[in-house]
Amino acid sequence: MSENKNPEVLLKVENLKKHFTPHMGLAASLGKARKVVKAVDGISFDIKKGEIFALIGESGSGKTTTGKLVMKLIEPTSGTMIFDGEDVTSIAKKQLEAYRRKVQMIFQDPYASMNPRFKIRDVLEEPLSIHRIEGDRARHDEMIVKALEEVKITPPEEFMTRFPHMLSGGQRQRVATARTLILNPKMLVADEPVSMIDLSTRAEILHMMKDVQRDLGLTYLYITHDLSTARYFADRIAVMYLGRIVEMGPADMIIDKPLHPYTKALIDAVPEPESGKVDVIKELPISGEIPSPANIPAGCRFHTRCPYATDECKTLPEPELEDIGGGHMHACRRWKEI
Amino acid sequence: MNLKDFLAGLSDFWSEFRRDKAGLIGLAILVVAILAIIFEPVIVPFKEVNSKWRDINYWEDNSSGAPPAWTNAFSSEKKAVTTSLDRPRKEEIEGDGVSIRRYEFDYSYRYDQPPLDVIFRAEGWGTFPILVSVERPDGQVIDLYQYVAEGLDGDDLRVTLANDSKSAAYQFLAVNASEADMANYDSYSVKPMVIMFSEASPSMATAPVALTGKYKFIVQTMVMSEDVRIDNAHFTVVGSVSGILGSDTGKRDLFSGLLAGLKWALLIGFVTSFISVLLGVLYGIISAYFGGAIDSTMNFIYELFVSMPVLPILIVISAVFKPSIWFIIAALVVFSWTGPVKTVRSMAMQIKEETYIEAARALGAGKWRIIFKHMLPLLIPYSFASMALSVPGAILYEASVSLLGLGDATITTWGQILHDALSSGAVLNGLWWWVVPPGFSIAIMGMSFAFIGSAMDKILHPKLRTR
């Protein structure tokens, strides 16, 4: 699975870690050792060109932090990131600018991701002026119109003079997508792009994103907590728990034949809108909240909530990802028994 | 943002603003003040007040320490008001080679107490005789004073009738008053003004009765050569009440001084608050945006400035450097930029965490772009309110420094008028018109900005709304 064997790999992440050290007063820091929050604790994955790669997990699993690391909005503690054959783990300002043109992000909250004082035109022109894209106002307008048409905002000229608050959530997310597309990126990081949008328009937005992906040959890193959209949308899925990937593989395999008890629990938790089943509250095999990333359990980090955990799980070192064929990987030592 | 949006925003703001009564009062005062500054050249009684405030000669024809003219309304005995007569009727009577030039000045006298003095003033060229006389309402003409001006070259011609017409007045008195009364008088103790403006009767020396009506002051001169010229001939009737706000003991017209000080008060207020709020807002944003060690260092510097006592330092600076007004403004800026820092910093911390800031960073926006394009525009409304609120402080500080006699000596400020009043004992001598108006002006100007500022604050900072 290394990049040499597979030239199609666009982004290769290896053993990436992000540990936060919380700020402490002088007096407090004298007494005790600082608690390190291990938001991302050593993850590795590849994203192939033209693929939609979904990162799934509960809140606090580190999936958004991973997205920010990929976006280079925060610096990793350790590990490497190779994008398009180039090591981008720590790059200079000049290269970062070039990287930003290639990798763009769609944020979760379409209501907050645009400056309320900017008109749609200004929102879309900002990337052009940041990256000093040649062209006068008319040329920029052309590019903006094209980007808006790409995301099915019609008529674009009419929307350009509006403010974000005059748009619906779906329209805003389309505009946010247009903003990322205007620079012709290679990869988009979409951080729960539909979680704050009305259910009725979610599918449309995902359709639009998929159309755009097909038209422009984009690669997506799709971050979500919602398995149902991930199955529909993604080619491959990685499940994160407490800063680690616990299972990874083709979307259908993960959903249909989950191996890790955490993945199973996530799938069981999806409500099924079928007649007769609506009122049934499922009995979840796991309980409790995700532990604090500042205090990660020893052994397998899932053992505190795992119904199958044995003493072995608590004492032996954490299991690594294991490939069982077909690109399906998991990190559970009891997968055969359960 | 184009003009249309700006106007729409402005009209929204206005519709909210005008619901705040205090804000409207403040705005009205400010508008009046600005109009007063614009029309200062028209309304100011002494046109050269700005350049001649400290020139004793400029003020020598004015009354000294006179209360405002309107105090007549509250006293039973009306006092003559200081008036300038500067529109003479000019007449030239041609003779052979010699002509007689005649200036007539009308003065309508309707008071109980005669003026303190009547002064003739002109600029003259050449050598000529001059005769000053008065025609009274009762038809009597008194030749008050005559002399020969010699070899003038644009020099001032000045006749103060209170001194120069003593002998003429004595003679007039001697003709009319009873002999018994005249025994007490000589030509030195006689009061020409009282005689000139009283009815001619035997008792006029002891119990003068004011003769009201139309007086005519006549100046005649004989023009014997081509180079004789008289320009700018005018009379000043020096009353014991004067002007809209009276005069100080230096004979300066206080209304003119107050008007001259208004623009400096506004200038000091505006410039100081504008620069210092701008600096403070930028400082707060930068401190919040960068955070960490930069934030801590900037906070430390901020604390240093905040804990410095402004007034004592200003006083020392002013005493040592004898500063100009610009230096004082600069010094005020140095100490007052701290005003908005804390609020702006906390607001900017909040804005910094907004998703659209992160989105801008993800797009590749640099830190200055984020600060100036994304953060600053959101803080502009607050900045305006903060500017309005910091104007009174600046005005007061300048007044305090000036009050101590340490202000810029080339301009007129309210603080300096107060300083002069204090050092001349105006308070002890009851010259309230010298102390109250400048003090009041400072208070009102400060108040108007405080009103405007708090109204803006309420609108732009909705958390402060009491509604």
Side-chain angles (χ1 to χ4, degrees):
Chain A
M1 287 294 279
S2 82
E3 102 191 84
N4 298 334
K5 283 186 213 153
N6 192 345
E8 294 277 306
V9 168
L10 183 67
L11 176 73
K12 184 177 179 58
V13 170
E14 216 147 1
N15 201 20
L16 198 66
K17 287 185 182 174
K18 179 65 191 177
H19 295 175
F20 292 104
T21 331
H23 286 289
M24 260 188 184
L26 185 66
S29 63
L30 284 177
K32 44 194 165 180
R34 291 187 170 199
K35 278 254 188 290
V36 176
V37 176
K38 296 176 178 171
V40 175
D41 201 16
I43 59 169
S44 309
F45 58 86
D46 299 330
I47 303 180
K48 300 190 188 74
K49 266 181 193 152
E51 181 183 49
I52 300 181
F53 184 83
L55 211 50
I56 290 183
E58 288 172 278
S59 336
S61 61
K63 56 190 194 307
T64 296
T65 309
T66 309
K68 284 185 182 173
L69 283 169
V70 170
M71 275 314 294
K72 298 212 61 66
L73 286 171
I74 47 179
E75 290 296 311
T77 311
S78 68
T80 51
M81 269 169 32
I82 292 162
F83 181 82
D84 218 3
E86 187 192 354
D87 188 343
V88 292
T89 317
S90 51
I91 46 177
K93 211 181 153 200
K94 197 82 198 160
Q95 290 158 293
L96 184 63
E97 211 182 298
Y99 182 74
R100 294 238 184 275
R101 288 185 65 162
K102 290 184 224 152
V103 184
Q104 282 292 324
M105 184 159 183
I106 302 169
F107 288 84
Q108 176 178 14
D109 186 353
Y111 295 89
S113 67
M114 279 174 246
N115 191 326
R117 301 173 80 91
F118 279 31
K119 285 190 181 151
I120 301 307
R121 190 190 177 281
D122 305 324
V123 169
L124 289 171
E125 197 182 22
E126 192 170 31
L128 297 178
S129 44
I130 288 172
H131 292 282
R132 293 180 287 278
I133 305 291
E134 296 287 321
D136 51 6
R137 206 180 152 85
R139 174 85 192 97
H140 278 182
D141 277 351
E142 243 172 70
M143 295 164 85
I144 291 165
V145 167
K146 199 177 139 237
L148 285 174
E149 276 167 353
E150 189 78 59
V151 297
K152 316 263 181 328
I153 289 272
T154 47
E157 288 82 3
E158 204 172 288
F159 278 88
M160 275 162 70
T161 55
R162 295 195 187 162
F163 284 101
H165 66 84
M166 299 156 96
L167 271 56
S168 72
Q171 285 171 330
R172 287 195 208 199
Q173 208 58 301
R174 286 172 194 268
V175 171
T177 310
R179 171 168 68 178
T180 62
L181 295 180
I182 208 158
L183 290 172
N184 281 323
K186 292 189 170 169
M187 186 168 111
L188 284 189
V189 176
D191 185 1
E192 309 219 22
V194 292
S195 72
M196 292 188 72
I197 292 172
D198 286 345
L199 279 172
S200 52
T201 39
R202 271 187 197 180
E204 271 178 54
I205 296 293
L206 288 175
H207 266 303
M208 179 273 289
M209 287 176 69
K210 217 161 185 175
D211 287 349
V212 166
Q213 187 244 355
R214 215 172 21 238
D215 292 353
L216 306 175
L218 288 174
T219 305
Y220 280 144
L221 171 59
Y222 178 66
I223 297 168
T224 186
H225 62 267
D226 181 3
L227 272 172
S228 46
T229 62
R231 179 179 203 173
Y232 161 76
F233 193 58
D235 302 320
R236 282 199 304 141
I237 291 176
V239 180
M240 273 188 91
Y241 182 75
L242 213 51
R244 295 276 282 199
I245 292 176
V246 292
E247 188 163 6
M248 177 159 68
D252 293 337
M253 268 196 204
I254 296 280
I255 306 285
D256 295 338
K257 282 181 222 133
L259 297 176
H260 197 279
Y262 178 61
T263 317
K264 287 182 179 174
L266 281 182
I267 290 167
D268 285 346
V270 175
E272 283 172 72
E274 283 170 37
S275 60
K277 282 191 176 180
V278 246
D279 294 337
V280 179
I281 294 176
K282 286 184 196 169
E283 240 179 82
L284 286 184
I286 63 168
S287 56
E289 295 280 315
I290 192 165
S292 158
N295 195 10
I296 292 173
C300 171
R301 59 186 66 208
F302 186 57
H303 81 252
T304 51
R305 296 169 78 194
C306 182
Y308 313 106
T310 60
D311 284 345
E312 246 186 359
C313 293
K314 291 174 190 166
T315 48
L316 287 182
E318 201 159 25
E320 295 293 326
L321 277 177
E322 185 189 339
D323 198 334
I324 60 151
H328 194 164
M329 303 202 268
H330 68 92
C332 180
R333 65 168 49 87
R334 300 191 62 212
W335 67 281
K336 277 182 183 148
E337 305 159 41
I338 56 179
Chain B
M1 209 184 238
N2 59 30
L3 188 69
K4 215 176 110 199
D5 297 327
F6 179 73
L7 290 178
L10 210 62
S11 91
D12 282 354
F13 175 79
W14 170 242
S15 68
E16 285 216 44
F17 187 90
R18 68 177 183 200
R19 271 186 252 151
D20 190 301
K21 287 227 172 55
L24 280 186
I25 293 172
L27 191 68
I29 297 172
L30 182 64
V31 168
V32 169
I34 289 172
L35 287 179
I37 291 172
I38 293 171
F39 292 107
E40 186 198 300
V42 187
I43 42 182
V44 75
F46 289 81
K47 308 292 178 204
E48 286 169 83
V49 59
N50 288 306
S51 52
K52 301 261 171 86
W53 183 250
R54 286 179 180 75
D55 181 352
I56 337 168
N57 293 326
Y58 180 71
W59 301 99
E60 68 181 338
D61 294 350
N62 203 9
S63 15
S64 165
W70 48 265
T71 51
N72 264 346
F74 304 101
S75 63
S76 52
E77 212 174 51
K78 309 297 178 209
K79 295 166 178 159
V81 176
T82 301
T83 321
S84 181
L85 314 174
D86 50 8
R87 285 206 192 80
R89 277 189 305 282
K90 225 156 117 183
E91 240 181 297
E92 193 109 24
I93 304 157
E94 298 284 342
D96 31 318
V98 182
S99 67
I100 291 180
R101 195 176 290 168
R102 190 182 152 95
Y103 298 89
E104 269 184 32
F105 298 83
D106 287 337
Y107 174 56
S108 149
Y109 177 73
R110 41 175 209 287
Y111 309 101
D112 304 315
Q113 250 186 43
L116 302 170
D117 201 347
V118 175
I119 297 167
F120 172 69
R121 207 182 239 283
E123 286 149 26
W125 282 264
T127 300
F128 49 88
I130 192 161
L131 168 68
V132 182
S133 40
V134 63
E135 189 188 323
R136 291 159 36 110
D138 58 6
Q140 299 210 52
V141 177
I142 314 171
D143 286 343
L144 294 166
Y145 183 65
Q146 53 184 312
Y147 83 118
V148 178
E150 268 178 286
L152 299 183
D153 185 21
D155 297 309
D156 267 354
L157 216 60
R158 185 167 183 261
V159 180
T160 64
L161 293 178
N163 294 316
D164 296 340
S165 68
K166 276 191 169 166
S167 58
Y170 181 73
Q171 276 165 29
F172 183 77
L173 191 67
V175 171
N176 292 291
S178 65
E179 271 182 50
D181 287 350
M182 282 311 289
N184 299 325
Y185 280 94
D186 56 39
S187 61
Y188 290 102
S189 63
V190 80
K191 289 179 179 140
M193 289 303 120
V194 180
I195 294 159
M196 205 191 299
F197 290 98
S198 298
E199 280 175 16
S201 71
S203 64
M204 73 181 294
T206 46
V209 177
L211 173 66
T212 56
K214 200 169 170 193
Y215 284 76
K216 219 184 264 174
F217 290 100
I218 302 154
V219 178
Q220 294 174 86
T221 179
M222 224 191 291
V223 181
M224 291 169 295
S225 68
E226 287 289 303
D227 55 350
V228 167
R229 216 175 102 201
I230 297 172
D231 273 359
N232 195 18
H234 63 275
F235 272 94
T236 308
V237 179
V238 183
S240 38
V241 293
S242 157
I244 298 171
L245 289 176
S247 62
D248 66 10
T249 53
K251 299 189 174 183
R252 294 179 290 201
D253 182 54
L254 285 168
F255 179 67
S256 305
L258 221 58
L259 260 185
L262 174 61
K263 57 178 171 293
W264 291 109
L266 279 186
L267 181 93
I268 293 161
F270 273 135
V271 174
T272 310
S273 69
F274 183 78
I275 299 176
S276 53
V277 167
L278 200 72
L279 289 178
V281 167
L282 278 179
Y283 193 90
I285 295 181
I286 289 171
S287 171
Y289 182 80
F290 288 97
I294 293 179
D295 188 28
S296 307
T297 315
M298 288 177 85
N299 250 323
F300 178 71
I301 296 170
Y302 163 82
E303 301 284 353
L304 271 186
F305 274 90
V306 162
S307 53
M308 270 192 249
V310 184
L311 199 55
I313 291 178
L314 267 185
I315 291 167
V316 171
I317 291 175
S318 308
V320 174
F321 294 107
K322 298 268 170 277
S324 74
I325 188 66
W326 303 109
F327 191 96
I328 292 175
I329 288 176
L332 279 171
V333 168
V334 167
F335 290 105
S336 53
W337 60 267
T338 51
V341 168
K342 277 279 147 166
T343 318
V344 166
R345 183 172 163 271
S346 66
M347 288 168 86
M349 294 264 226
Q350 221 173 340
I351 297 170
K352 188 180 117 181
E353 298 304 325
E354 295 279 352
T355 310
Y356 59 81
I357 302 292
E358 197 171 35
R361 279 179 59 213
L363 287 172
K367 44 185 176 283
W368 298 113
R369 183 183 184 87
I370 288 173
I371 287 176
F372 284 104
K373 282 225 123 175
H374 290 274
M375 296 175 83
L376 193 60
L378 284 161
L379 288 162
I380 278 178
Y382 168 76
S383 309
F384 277 125
S386 175
M387 273 176 205
L389 286 173
S390 71
V391 166
I395 296 177
L396 272 180
Y397 273 126
E398 193 280 333
S400 313
V401 171
S402 293
L403 178 65
L404 295 167
L406 301 167
D408 184 344
T410 59
I411 60 166
T412 317
T413 68
W414 294 338
Q416 289 169 8
I417 295 176
L418 279 177
H419 165 71
D420 293 343
L422 232 58
S423 60
S424 315
V427 180
L428 292 177
N429 296 324
L431 276 67
W432 53 266
W433 57 90
W434 195 357
V435 183
V436 175
F440 221 61
S441 302
I442 294 171
I444 288 197
M445 221 54 242
M447 192 184 75
S448 85
F449 278 101
F451 280 175
I452 294 173
S454 75
M456 285 168 79
D457 221 18
K458 268 186 233 161
I459 296 168
L460 306 168
H461 215 191
K463 277 181 198 163
L464 289 179
R465 276 184 204 184
T466 45
R467 283 174 252 150

